[in-house]
Amino acid sequence: SPHYSLKVALAHGPSPVAWVWEIDSQTRMPIYLCHNPWYADIYRREAGKTAIAIGPYISYIERLEGPTTEKQGESTLLAFPVHSGHHFTSHYDIDSFVSNMEQYGANFDRIVVNLYWKDILRGLHKEYMKRGYEIVTAGHIFDPQFLVRFYHNLRKATATIHGFPGTSAVYSLLLNRPTWAPPLETRLEVEKGVYEKHHSAVAESDQSLRHRLRELLAEPSLTVLPEQL
């Protein structure tokens, strides 16, 4: 029921890293909802609480929103630059990412850039706007409509390009959008304290799944390849 609140905590978006952030493990909620059994096992082990795999969250949006009646217009490449967060800032060469966007974007009618809330607050949208790109966002992550907006932005795309093979790349593949994540040198500026500890712990955790995802998305393609599903 839309009028009943579940006493659960949602795990982070699809994560290719075998690690649970300390803040997540300390939630007062008695149950975690996770994307898959692999991640649910990690949450059970690290947090010592019940964790249930329910599948990718974005897969529920279309059912909630109902079937689309939109007609396909111009072909669109949707770009997801590396994003910052509450306790860290991402630095990368925008011109290098734009060069990859233009290379891949030559196959489409237009290029749209989807920016994270933190990067809009720090003014990064101006860098893309002055280069002539349209900007969209899903809003703040704590907004109840965040994932709904994200879904609609992604649904309008023909294909996607990513500065980092994270949640946006996995969701793009789930919605059957050709996805490319070319190598891009990135530097993270992290706040002292909890996130610094988290960042170090992630770097020391099992990275094999993340490396495999990088390999699968390393080359541009105009179709979703069987090995990517």
Side-chain angles (χ1 to χ4, degrees), residues 58-77:
I58 202 168
S59 298
Y60 291 82
I61 300 298
E62 187 165 22
R63 180 178 178 183
L64 292 172
E65 292 291 284
T68 178
T69 57
E70 297 176 3
K71 295 181 179 180
Q72 187 65 42
E74 295 180 311
S75 60
T76 301
L77 174 63

Side-chain angles (χ1 to χ4, degrees), residues 34-80:
C34 302
H35 288 268
N36 55 55
W38 176 77
Y39 213 41
D41 286 342
I42 294 171
Y43 266 77
R44 279 191 288 267
R45 183 177 68 248
E46 298 292 334
K49 294 184 179 182
T50 300
I52 302 171
I54 65 169
Y57 309 146
I58 202 168
S59 298
Y60 291 82
I61 300 298
E62 187 165 22
R63 180 178 178 183
L64 292 172
E65 292 291 284
T68 178
T69 57
E70 297 176 3
K71 295 181 179 180
Q72 187 65 42
E74 295 180 311
S75 60
T76 301
L77 174 63
L78 185 61
F80 291 90

Side-chain angles (χ1 to χ4, degrees), residues 10 12 59 68-69 103 109 133 146 178 185 196 198 220:
L10 295 177
H12 187 273
S59 298
T68 178
T69 57
Q103 175 190 336
D109 295 321
Y133 296 110
F146 174 81
E185 185 174 344
E196 185 179 38
H198 165 74

Side-chain angles (χ1 to χ4, degrees), residues 12 19-27 32 39 43 46-47 86-88 193-199 202:
H12 187 273
W19 177 257
V20 177
W21 192 8
E22 184 179 0
I23 291 177
D24 285 342
S25 67
Q26 294 176 350
T27 178
Y32 291 100
Y39 213 41
Y43 266 77
E46 298 292 334
H86 277 96
H87 305 293
F88 68 94
V194 173
Y195 193 82
E196 185 179 38
K197 177 181 177 182
H198 165 74
H199 181 63
V202 167

Side-chain angles (χ1 to χ4, degrees), residues 33-201:
L33 299 182
C34 302
H35 288 268
N36 55 55
W38 176 77
Y39 213 41
D41 286 342
I42 294 171
Y43 266 77
R44 279 191 288 267
R45 183 177 68 248
E46 298 292 334
K49 294 184 179 182
T50 300
I52 302 171
I54 65 169
Y57 309 146
I58 202 168
S59 298
Y60 291 82
I61 300 298
E62 187 165 22
R63 180 178 178 183
L64 292 172
E65 292 291 284
T68 178
T69 57
E70 297 176 3
K71 295 181 179 180
Q72 187 65 42
E74 295 180 311
S75 60
T76 301
L77 174 63
L78 185 61
F80 291 90
V82 181
H83 73 75
S84 303
H86 277 96
H87 305 293
F88 68 94
T89 301
S90 297
H91 300 280
Y92 60 95
D93 185 343
I94 293 179
D95 287 330
S96 294
F97 186 61
V98 166
S99 177
N100 289 326
M101 284 167 47
E102 291 294 336
Q103 175 190 336
Y104 197 27
N107 300 289
F108 308 98
D109 295 321
R110 64 178 187 145
I111 301 174
V112 176
V113 179
N114 190 108
L115 284 177
Y116 201 54
W117 64 271
K118 178 68 175 289
D119 295 310
I120 288 181
L121 290 181
R122 54 188 283 250
L124 196 61
H125 61 291
K126 297 176 184 177
E127 293 296 323
Y128 287 96
M129 289 178 68
K130 74 181 184 182
R131 291 169 171 80
Y133 296 110
E134 177 185 345
I135 308 296
V136 296
T137 182
H140 195 280
I141 55 170
F142 292 157
D143 186 323
Q145 294 299 307
F146 174 81
L147 189 58
V148 175
R149 293 193 197 97
F150 184 96
Y151 166 78
H152 283 292
N153 290 345
L154 188 51
R155 189 180 66 180
K156 295 173 184 176
T158 310
T160 63
I161 182 172
H162 306 260
F164 179 78
T167 300
S168 60
V170 175
Y171 278 163
S172 295
L173 292 173
L174 283 170
L175 293 185
N176 200 36
R177 269 41 178 191
T179 302
W180 184 33
L184 181 68
E185 185 174 344
T186 304
R187 178 178 62 86
L188 291 185
E189 179 184 345
V190 302
E191 290 182 8
K192 301 291 184 181
V194 173
Y195 193 82
E196 185 179 38
K197 177 181 177 182
H198 165 74
H199 181 63
S200 298

